[in-house]
Amino acid sequence: MTEYLCFFNKDAFVIKGPKKSPLLLRLVVVAFAMVCGIYICSICIKQISPHTTAKFLNIRIFDQPCNSSNVEEWEKPYVHYPKPETFSREECACNPVRFFAIFSMQRSGSGWFETLLNSHVNVSSNGEIFGKRERRASVSAITQTLDRVYNLDWFSSASKNECNAAVGFKWMLNQGVMEHHEGIAEYFKQKGVHAIFLFRRNLLRRMISVLANSYDKRNKPLNGTHKSHVHSSIEKLKEVQDFLRLPYRELTSRQVKIHSGHLSKQVQNWDEIHKVLKGTQYESFLHLDYQR
Ligand SMILES: *[C@@H]1O[C@H](CO)[C@@H](O)[C@H](O)[C@H]1NC(C)=O
Ligand SMILES: *[C@@H]1O[C@H](CO)[C@@H](O)[C@H](O)[C@H]1NC(C)=O
Ligand SMILES: *[C@@H]1O[C@H](CO)[C@@H](O)[C@H](O)[C@H]1NC(C)=O
């Protein structure tokens, strides 16, 4: 066998084979050549294959841009057609989506407001996403989080996914809004985010609500339904739906309002408060009781 191989190496370029070579030798040579060929081929394929598969993966179907001719010109900066990475919007891919953020303070009825808004089939409001400190550590952390929310890649119990017409979340003013307001304003301007400010008109009511709530927490933990200290305002809800250009729906919330009724019925030392505020710029808070 070694003999034959040596012979093969030395005379590799001699085309005519030795006359007396038996059939077996020829077969061996052919087999050897075949094995070599297959080996070389397999190496070549291995080297090429990552590139070819990458090329195949890069082929994407280019979607037709959505027809936005029924969106008014001034509105175009506020209308988006997100392409989420985590799912396909399918038949709603060309439903325009508006971005929003609800700014509020604790005990201002924002929880109640958000559940109402979320009862709309086309709205996803994802709650207090900036409750976690690391998400609001810097402007870039904030914008990353916002990008995910507005690309519909954020998942919460409120996410409706495919047929969203408005997506947003609730942002408490003490959750990085004041520290990073410039970067946030810039982002909102760029992306055309709708900002909804929700403030309790009656500051006195808000303060009493804060006190009442902490009193409740200590004394009678509430089971089951979460309760809010809020009075409803149907007209405002209609305004918000108009603002976000939503198809109009009756909105409902299962949250129950507590501590309703006039403040004087709830506050033991009401006379004292009355005396302090009377004649000051805050006097109206004594009377104002959630009429429009
Ligand atoms: C977009 O839709 C309108 C009707 O809403 C139609 O008249 C127009 O031709 C469409 N444009 C394109 C580019 O498909
Ligand atoms: C609202 O949601 C419904 C049901 O998912 C869908 O059929 C409809 O197209 C959506 N409307 C808008 C304006 O996105
Ligand atoms: C809350 O629910 C738990 C179990 O469901 C019950 O044991 C407890 O007594 C309830 N507390 C109040 C204040 O109702």
Side-chain angles (χ1 to χ4, degrees), residues 92 95-96 121-122 163-165 247:
C92 290
N95 282 20
V121 66
N122 304 106
C163 291
N164 271 314

Side-chain angles (χ1 to χ4, degrees), residues 89 91-92 94-98 120-123 160 162-166 245-247 249:
R89 291 189 73 212
E91 81 270 25
C92 290
C94 282
N95 282 20
V97 177
R98 271 129 178 126
H120 196 296
V121 66
N122 304 106
V123 178
K160 310 255 188 356
E162 289 90 1
C163 291
N164 271 314
R245 297 277 163 149
L246 294 165
R249 292 279 186 297

Side-chain angles (χ1 to χ4, degrees), residues 220-224:
K220 37 175 178 156
L222 297 168
N223 260 1

Side-chain angles (χ1 to χ4, degrees), residues 67-70:
N67 184 350
S68 57
S69 62
N70 51 353

Side-chain angles (χ1 to χ4, degrees), residues 162-178:
E162 289 90 1
C163 291
N164 271 314
V167 61
F169 63 97
K170 192 170 83 167
W171 206 343
M172 294 298 159
L173 292 185
N174 60 2
Q175 293 172 344
V177 178
M178 306 317 252

Side-chain angles (χ1 to χ4, degrees), residues 5 15 21 56 72 97 127 152 174 176 203 256 262 283 287 289:
L5 282 178
I15 290 166
S21 66
F56 279 121
E72 287 169 50
V97 177
L152 305 181
N174 60 2
L203 287 178
V256 186
H262 196 267
E283 188 179 344
H287 311 298
D289 214 24

